[in-house]
């Protein structure tokens, strides 16, 4: 794992955006794996600024988001689809059919998981996948567990995750407690992985991910098995490294 420690959020975001822009510039039909959460917002802002300067195009780019809440429609402001439109897609010429997020409104979750996994397989592999990390070491919505789930699957969110994500909702009761997420094998199938982490609340998870044992109790630790991972952290998140 390559670890890059940057001064602050802006510097982390600038480097992460550079990784995304390089892939988009060098491969017009690139496949991007994308995260949500507070951390990647500035990275998306920078990419949008570059798009507005007409330096890049999205018309042949395909995207796959890591996860989606079950029970939230695309029109729901808290859905990850809505988040992606708000922070990235709506500014660009990306084609709607090239945007992929798990369908949180499906009546058949198992089938949706299989379909989503197949859609990713059908494009070959993601050229680059960006990740955030939960305070408990989750990636996507792969929560600490007794075993790794390889493929796209349904998860029941941990109390800590619901609490932490409740800052985006009016009240904690509104936070869905289930979600669909790529599995760890899906994540590891990306050619390149870039993780972003900001702030002291992530420091413990980052240190365990980098220096701890590979364990499903800290899902991000599985990234030690991938041969092209760059972890970009600010000074606070690097505190225990
Ligand atoms: C959610 C997402 C994760 C993300 C995490 C951290 O749980 N499913 O993909 O990494 O939030 O979010 P933040 O960047 O807001 O700390």
């Amino acid at each position: 794992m390559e670890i890059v420690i940057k001064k602050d959020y802006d510097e982390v975001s600038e480097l992460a955006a550079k990784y995304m822009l390089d892939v988009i510039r060098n491969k017009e039909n690139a496949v991007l794996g994308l995260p949500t959460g507070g951390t990647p917002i500035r990275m998306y802002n920078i990419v949008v600024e570059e798009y507005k300067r007409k330096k890049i195009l999205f018309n042949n780019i395909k995207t796959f988001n890591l996860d989606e809440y079950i029970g939230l429609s695309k029109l729901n402001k808290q859905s990850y689809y809505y988040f992606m439109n708000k922070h990235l897609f709506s500014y660009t010429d990306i084609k709607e059919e090239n945007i992929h997020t798990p369908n949180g409104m499906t009546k058949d979750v198992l089938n949706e998981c299989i379909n989503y996994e197949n859609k990713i397989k059908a494009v070959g592999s993601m050229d680059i996948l960006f990740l955030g990390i939960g305070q408990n070491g989750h990636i996507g919505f792969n929560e600490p567990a007794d075993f790794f789930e390889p493929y796209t699957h349904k998860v029941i969110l941990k109390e800590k995750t619901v609490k932490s994500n409740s800052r985006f909702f009016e009240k904690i009761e509104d936070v869905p407690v289930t979600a669909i997420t790529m599995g760890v094998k899906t994540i590891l199938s990306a050619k390149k992985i870039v993780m972003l982490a900001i702030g002291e609340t992530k420091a413990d998870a980052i240190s365990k991910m980098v220096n701890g044992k590979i364990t499903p109790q800290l899902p991000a630790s599985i990234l030690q098995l991938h041969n092209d991972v760059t972890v970009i952290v600010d000074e606070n998140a690097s505190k225990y490294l």
Side-chain angles (χ1 to χ4, degrees), residues 105-121:
M105 293 303 283
T106 181
K107 292 214 163 57
D108 187 344
V109 174
L110 185 60
N111 195 40
E112 174 60 17
C113 292
I114 295 167
N115 276 342
Y116 200 66
E117 192 67 35
N118 286 339
K119 280 183 203 161
I120 299 171
K121 282 207 184 91

Side-chain angles (χ1 to χ4, degrees), residues 35-40 66-67 69 80 131-135 138-141 161 164-165 167-168 196 198 202:
T36 51
T39 313
L66 279 158
D67 45 15
Y69 289 115
Y80 284 164
L131 293 175
I133 185 168
Q135 290 173 28
H138 75 236
I139 43 176
F141 266 138
T161 302
S164 162
N165 289 356
R167 70 203 134 112
F168 298 112
L196 295 74
I198 304 292
K202 304 288 174 71

Side-chain angles (χ1 to χ4, degrees), residues 4 6 20-21 31 69 71 84 95 108 110 124 144 156 168 182 202 218:
V4 184
K6 291 287 184 184
M20 190 182 294
L21 292 167
V31 181
Y69 289 115
M84 291 308 301
K95 294 183 192 121
D108 187 344
L110 185 60
I156 297 171
F168 298 112
M182 287 183 193
K202 304 288 174 71
L218 194 106

Side-chain angles (χ1 to χ4, degrees), residues 215-231:
T215 165
Q217 295 300 338
L218 194 106
S221 62
I222 196 84
L223 298 179
Q224 291 177 30
L225 296 180
H226 193 281
N227 60 15
D228 193 356
V229 179
T230 300
V231 182

